[in-house]
Amino acid sequence: MVNLGDVFPDFEAETNKGPIKFHQFLGDSWGILFSHPADYTPVCTTELGRVAQLAPKFAERNVKMIALSIDSPESHNGWIKDIQSYCSLKGDFPFPIIADDKRELAVKFGMLDPDEVNAQGIVLTCRAVFIIGPDKKLKLSLLYPATTGRNFDEILRVIDSLQLTAKYKVATPVDWQSWSKVMVVPSVKPEEFKTLFPQGVEVAKVPSGKGYIRKTDAPK
Ligand code: BEZ
């Protein structure tokens, strides 16, 4: 397993678009590596179609996308035609899919869902998401079971939070959206407000009298 803050290990893999070396594939970009249980399954078809529709939004955020399942490159290429047809997508499919048919990466990175097996009794991959920063360190991981499709608009929201909080000493509160206020992180001292947040800081009054809820406009 890779923990938050660890360098996500480099690896070589086959994809439907040819072999890759993961770190070289990422270059200086952010990255999202996400797995799905199997090609030619319904929820996965809706998920990969949605990610393909959102590809320009990942590109705007400088995030390279790559998917993974335990199927072969030929299977991925056949299934992509179904995804494009079902989700009304045209042109080149915007991201490669790793063919982890020996399940080496799935095992190494803890991506298996023991509750889901295929017709041959083989345990399938879960719906894992790993977001990796330009420093190659793991910034976020999510594991969903095979039976629950993910919300990739939420994943874009999370990327906005990760990218903002990587630059400024702020944290994003519940249900945060890019236009709403952010919280000053606890390690910032009040005497630093003027320099770090010239836009101003509001400190909420709470019964404890402790001024720990400190809101500001998102720095630009
Ligand atoms: C699906 O993608 O629909 C799916 C795959 C494996 C188990 C359950 C659902």
Side-chain angles (χ1 to χ4, degrees), residues 37 41-44 116 124 127 146-147:
T41 53
V43 175
C44 301
E116 289 299 337
L124 298 174
R127 302 184 193 280
T147 42

Side-chain angles (χ1 to χ4, degrees), residues 107-199:
V107 170
K108 184 169 177 189
F109 299 130
M111 290 192 257
L112 294 174
D113 179 354
D115 286 343
E116 289 299 337
V117 289
N118 67 11
Q120 291 77 46
I122 294 174
V123 175
L124 298 174
T125 29
C126 68
R127 302 184 193 280
V129 178
F130 297 111
I131 298 177
I132 297 143
D135 55 4
K136 309 285 182 296
K137 290 184 180 167
L138 181 65
K139 305 297 180 188
L140 173 131
S141 68
L142 291 170
L143 297 180
Y144 277 44
T147 42
T148 303
R150 291 157 286 192
N151 180 331
F152 283 89
D153 290 297
E154 165 62 5
I155 287 166
L156 286 170
R157 191 190 72 89
V158 165
I159 289 169
D160 286 343
S161 169
L162 291 171
Q163 293 185 338
L164 182 74
T165 59
K167 260 173 95 179
Y168 301 102
K169 291 188 171 181
V170 298
T172 60
V174 62
D175 297 338
W176 175 79
Q177 296 291 342
S178 55
W179 57 86
S180 48
K181 297 215 181 229
V182 297
M183 300 295 185
V184 175
V185 294
S187 61
V188 172
K189 299 186 182 78
E191 52 270 32
E192 295 176 284
F193 286 176
K194 258 208 175 109
T195 328
L196 295 179
F197 306 108
Q199 69 273 36

Side-chain angles (χ1 to χ4, degrees), residues 12-184:
E12 296 187 17
E14 261 320 311
T15 79
N16 65 309
K17 292 189 173 174
I20 59 140
K21 290 183 178 166
F22 188 53
H23 283 191
Q24 198 180 67
F25 167 81
L26 292 175
D28 296 329
S29 302
W30 288 71
I32 178 169
L33 165 65
F34 58 105
S35 64
H36 62 274
D39 296 352
Y40 298 105
T41 53
V43 175
C44 301
T45 304
T46 61
E47 282 194 326
L48 270 77
R50 181 68 183 140
V51 182
Q53 285 164 353
L54 291 172
K57 296 200 178 278
F58 283 93
E60 267 170 29
R61 290 162 173 81
N62 190 28
V63 181
K64 287 227 168 132
M65 301 175 291
I66 190 159
L68 177 150
S69 79
I70 58 175
D71 303 282
S72 66
E74 298 73 32
S75 165
H76 291 332
N77 279 329
W79 180 46
I80 282 170
K81 295 192 187 102
D82 286 2
I83 299 173
Q84 289 179 310
S85 160
Y86 184 71
C87 301
S88 309
L89 293 162
K90 290 203 170 62
D92 250 6
F93 201 66
F95 53 88
I97 310 178
I98 293 173
D100 187 28
D101 40 10
K102 296 198 186 71
R103 303 194 317 158
E104 287 166 354
L105 299 174
V107 170
K108 184 169 177 189
F109 299 130
M111 290 192 257
L112 294 174
D113 179 354
D115 286 343
E116 289 299 337
V117 289
N118 67 11
Q120 291 77 46
I122 294 174
V123 175
L124 298 174
T125 29
C126 68
R127 302 184 193 280
V129 178
F130 297 111
I131 298 177
I132 297 143
D135 55 4
K136 309 285 182 296
K137 290 184 180 167
L138 181 65
K139 305 297 180 188
L140 173 131
S141 68
L142 291 170
L143 297 180
Y144 277 44
T147 42
T148 303
R150 291 157 286 192
N151 180 331
F152 283 89
D153 290 297
E154 165 62 5
I155 287 166
L156 286 170
R157 191 190 72 89
V158 165
I159 289 169
D160 286 343
S161 169
L162 291 171
Q163 293 185 338
L164 182 74
T165 59
K167 260 173 95 179
Y168 301 102
K169 291 188 171 181
V170 298
T172 60
V174 62
D175 297 338
W176 175 79
Q177 296 291 342
S178 55
W179 57 86
S180 48
K181 297 215 181 229
V182 297
M183 300 295 185
V184 175

